Amino acid sequence: MAYKKWVKPEVVKQPRVIRNWSDCQNDIFSDIATGEGNTQVDALAGTGKTSTIVEGFFHLPKGQSTLMCAFNKKIQQELETRSPAGVEVKTLHALGFAACKRAFPKTANRPDDKGEKLAGFIKAERGDEQETYELRANLSKCVSLCKGYLADNAQMIDSIMDKHEVDPCNEERSSFIGSVLKVMEACKKDTSRIDFDDMVWMPNVHGLGLTQYGRVMIDEAQDLNPAQINLSLNSCMRGGRILSVGDRFQAIYGFRGADSDAIQNIVDRLSSKRMPLSVTYRCAKNIVEIAKTLVPALEAAPGAEDGLVADIPASQLEKMVRPGDFILSRVNAPLIKWCLTLLKARIPANIQGRDMGKSLGALIKKSKAKDVSSFLDWLNEYEGMEVERLVKAKRDTDTLSDKLECLRVLCEGTNSLEDVRDNLDKLFHDGDDKDRVILSSTHKAKGLERDTVFMLKDTYRPSKGQEEANLTYVAYTRAKKCLYLVAGK
């Protein structure tokens, strides 16, 4: 069969939007046009970060080669339609993959997006027997994290395992770490296949040359891992300038390897000056007031409406929520209960998080149970063993408890495990559907907004550390007009 050559679709450019820019925004534009040195823009929630970046493109000096580093493909596509000639908008993964293609002529034209490279090396190291499934999955997770952290020795890997609760599955820790090092070395040597993690890791570990730009702009700086930070900073030519943009109070992805101090580390490496972007055009005044308890610098826009922040009992949620609203929780288990409740009441609803659905399905498969009763028995035994192991290792059990509670809730009122699997498929979808109630963890809702947000107040714990406070702040600031703090179950 003959295949047509893939042709990149034409980018339809949007016209430049002229607005009444704030004093803070005009100061940023002046810095882009005529300033010196490197700059960090501290862009708080809803402050027009993307619009400011786009307008900034039009203030760049003529003839200056510019790279805009977009955090993901969706943002890259949006920014590309709004960028003028001379500005290249790329994801960091695309940037790294291009460097690999230049350095290694035998590299496949398409990335290994199915993870076959890593899975193959782990299989070669540990076999593919059913009883090693969990061990191999944990090796894969650990290797992925280590690539992002640029870990290259046993001490670093040991620290990453503690931070991210990577279980060596009753194996000697030193043996598990040894396997991680062997798999990473095999990945490094195989330059013919490049997977998602390799795109930013390989240019770092091989010291590959990157296309150099006179200006580099970095979006969502707070969400970058060390490998991504290196890639973006090393794309700037000597004597060039770097503008990083982000909000340290929205740093909530430490669990998946983002550098929790990414912005400060970038500022320290570049000796960047800091410029504020603190007026939110998203949130009403009363929502800003509650957010200011965590981030005092946030300001309401001139003329913003008052809006509403109100405490309500859980008994009122079903009566008040409407399609298009958000229900947010720090953890997933309460979302399942509420989603099932809404569906039974014939209110269209779904939960953001296809990856969560897959993770829960994997535990059902791991149990080898034939019916709901035996599965719940297995779940109790599994919980006892896992909690004991985590407590001995002085690790947090919250993530495990949330996952197991999700499964117990899914089993309620079902007749078979097939019913449980059907519930998983029905409940967990990713999408921004305004014709239904969207239930979401705060992590999944970051970057989104709604007029009305119901926040399951009892699931949040802002006093338990900076990332927990950040999660609460992100949840508050998803609301544009009305924020309801739901108490109880």
Side-chain angles (χ1 to χ4, degrees), residues 363-431:
L363 272 179
I364 296 173
K365 183 177 181 181
K366 179 186 171 100
S367 74
K368 299 181 182 178
K370 301 299 183 184
D371 55 54
V372 175
S373 178
S374 59
F375 173 66
L376 289 172
D377 289 341
W378 177 88
L379 208 60
N380 290 333
E381 293 178 11
Y382 178 76
E383 181 177 32
M385 291 187 296
E386 285 296 287
V387 168
E388 182 180 2
R389 180 183 63 78
L390 291 170
V391 169
K392 280 184 180 179
K394 297 181 179 179
R395 294 179 186 163
D396 187 41
T397 61
D398 283 359
T399 301
L400 172 70
S401 298
D402 183 33
K403 190 177 290 188
L404 301 187
E405 181 61 17
C406 283
L407 286 165
R408 291 189 176 103
V409 172
L410 283 164
C411 288
E412 291 176 5
T414 57
N415 297 314
S416 68
L417 282 179
E418 192 59 37
D419 290 343
V420 178
R421 295 187 188 94
D422 287 344
N423 278 341
L424 278 174
D425 292 339
K426 180 170 60 177
L427 297 181
F428 287 95
H429 301 283
D430 286 340

Side-chain angles (χ1 to χ4, degrees), residues 171-419:
E171 180 170 316
E172 287 291 332
R173 199 173 180 91
S174 59
S175 175
F176 184 92
I177 292 172
S179 292
V180 172
L181 287 167
K182 288 179 183 177
V183 171
M184 290 181 71
E185 183 62 25
C187 288
K188 180 179 177 181
K189 289 179 179 177
D190 183 357
T191 60
S192 65
R193 296 176 294 172
I194 304 294
D195 66 20
F196 188 74
D197 294 323
D198 286 346
M199 291 182 194
V200 292
W201 180 66
M202 294 285 258
N204 278 286
V205 295
H206 285 284
L208 303 185
L210 301 168
T211 302
Q212 298 291 286
Y213 298 85
R215 293 290 185 96
V216 173
M217 303 171 77
I218 306 168
D219 188 24
E220 302 286 6
Q222 78 279 348
D223 292 332
L224 303 186
N225 63 35
Q228 292 170 321
I229 291 172
N230 272 2
L231 209 61
S232 56
L233 302 194
N234 292 339
S235 296
C236 188
M237 64 179 58
R238 186 181 296 274
R241 296 183 65 199
I242 295 176
L243 174 80
S244 53
V245 183
D247 180 0
R248 68 185 180 91
F249 299 108
Q250 293 192 65
I252 61 173
Y253 292 128
F255 74 96
R256 70 182 189 195
D259 181 352
S260 58
D261 294 317
I263 287 179
Q264 189 59 53
N265 289 335
I266 291 172
V267 168
D268 290 345
R269 284 178 63 173
L270 299 177
S271 299
S272 302
K273 60 181 172 296
R274 303 187 80 144
M275 302 185 74
L277 199 57
S278 54
V279 177
T280 179
Y281 300 94
R282 173 190 299 154
C283 302
K285 290 178 182 177
N286 285 319
I287 296 167
V288 170
E289 286 306 306
I290 192 171
K292 282 169 72 73
T293 63
L294 297 172
V295 183
L298 190 67
E299 304 172 61
E305 63 182 89
D306 289 339
L308 174 68
V309 176
D311 289 283
I312 65 168
S315 59
Q316 292 297 307
L317 176 52
E318 183 182 338
K319 300 173 185 176
M320 296 175 64
V321 73
R322 296 289 182 270
D325 295 344
F326 269 166
I327 298 176
L328 299 184
S329 173
R330 176 184 159 274
V331 292
N332 287 283
L335 299 175
I336 294 177
K337 292 181 180 179
W338 277 113
C339 195
L340 290 170
T341 297
L342 295 177
L343 291 174
K344 288 176 183 177
R346 299 186 181 278
I347 299 171
N350 74 270
I351 302 171
Q352 293 281 88
R354 192 167 291 154
D355 51 349
M356 181 63 178
K358 288 181 179 179
S359 176
L360 296 176
L363 272 179
I364 296 173
K365 183 177 181 181
K366 179 186 171 100
S367 74
K368 299 181 182 178
K370 301 299 183 184
D371 55 54
V372 175
S373 178
S374 59
F375 173 66
L376 289 172
D377 289 341
W378 177 88
L379 208 60
N380 290 333
E381 293 178 11
Y382 178 76
E383 181 177 32
M385 291 187 296
E386 285 296 287
V387 168
E388 182 180 2
R389 180 183 63 78
L390 291 170
V391 169
K392 280 184 180 179
K394 297 181 179 179
R395 294 179 186 163
D396 187 41
T397 61
D398 283 359
T399 301
L400 172 70
S401 298
D402 183 33
K403 190 177 290 188
L404 301 187
E405 181 61 17
C406 283
L407 286 165
R408 291 189 176 103
V409 172
L410 283 164
C411 288
E412 291 176 5
T414 57
N415 297 314
S416 68
L417 282 179
E418 192 59 37
D419 290 343

